[in-house]
Amino acid sequence: MNGLAAEERGGEAAGGLCCLREDGERCGRAAGNASFSKRIQKSISQKKVKIDLDKTARHLYICDFHKNLIQSVRNRRKRKGSDDDGGDSPVQDIDTPEVDLYQLQVNTLRRYKRHFKLQTRPGLNKAQLVEIIGCHFRSIPVNEKDTLTYFIYSVKNDKNKSDLKIESGKQLG
């Protein structure tokens, strides 16, 4: 009996309900492995989709129906923005792929926090860690062209990251 109660509290792992509300009522569908983030909430509110997070939910996992709905809204927006190729437009920012940090273990999230010296209060739970790390992760600037160039170079020349840094240093110096 204790195992069942623990599973029910786990939400997503035990077939809990979707964490979203539609027209003021909690969704009754089973939650999947996709999670709802503030970034997704912002993008769907711009498209005036009337779903929001249920504040009583103990997790951020959404059902497949809402996942597909959100993806279709985001895809429509991407096609519209791809016509004018605005570069650093907000449309492009909204359509960048999400990384589901909930798939990582808590210890991995803590190591990320420690590596980047993120200032947080002690004793954060997984959801709080994911939110803080997600904000930091999305704020890291990435030059796609350089990253892809280095990746292809590394694969072709069977180099690892440390070899690449040494090579780059020699070329510049």
Side-chain angles (χ1 to χ4, degrees), residues 20 33 40 82-83 136-137 142 154 169:
L20 298 179
N33 63 355
I40 292 171
S82 64
D83 292 341
H136 178 263
F137 184 78
V142 176
S154 298

Side-chain angles (χ1 to χ4, degrees), residues 153-167:
Y153 172 84
S154 298
V155 170
K156 283 185 173 181
N157 295 297
D158 198 25
K159 304 270 184 181
N160 66 27
K161 187 177 175 182
S162 60
D163 293 339
L164 188 59
K165 284 182 181 176
I166 294 168
E167 287 272 329

Side-chain angles (χ1 to χ4, degrees), residues 104-114 126 129 133:
L104 299 175
Q105 296 176 354
V106 175
N107 287 339
T108 305
L109 296 170
R110 287 187 182 131
R111 278 185 297 176
Y112 181 99
K113 184 185 89 159
R114 197 169 38 245
K126 186 174 186 176
L129 279 170
I133 289 171

Side-chain angles (χ1 to χ4, degrees), residues 60-124:
L60 296 173
Y61 291 92
I62 62 176
C63 63
D64 289 337
F65 172 80
H66 283 117
K67 174 184 167 188
N68 293 333
L69 174 69
I70 291 165
Q71 284 177 339
S72 71
V73 168
R74 294 176 88 194
N75 287 341
R76 271 186 270 147
R77 188 168 188 98
K78 186 187 293 181
R79 281 193 298 266
K80 180 181 172 187
S82 64
D83 292 341
D84 52 74
D85 195 27
D88 291 337
S89 70
V91 173
Q92 186 179 12
D93 182 47
I94 290 169
D95 291 323
T96 55
E98 280 287 320
V99 175
D100 188 6
L101 296 173
Y102 278 97
Q103 299 297 321
L104 299 175
Q105 296 176 354
V106 175
N107 287 339
T108 305
L109 296 170
R110 287 187 182 131
R111 278 185 297 176
Y112 181 99
K113 184 185 89 159
R114 197 169 38 245
H115 176 79
F116 286 101
K117 299 178 176 81
L118 302 179
Q119 296 297 316
T120 61
R121 65 178 175 79
L124 296 176

Side-chain angles (χ1 to χ4, degrees), residues 46-62:
Q46 290 172 345
K47 291 296 279 184
K48 297 179 175 67
V49 178
K50 301 202 183 226
I51 57 175
D52 62 338
L53 181 64
D54 184 354
K55 303 292 186 219
T56 63
R58 294 182 172 210
H59 60 82
L60 296 173
Y61 291 92
I62 62 176

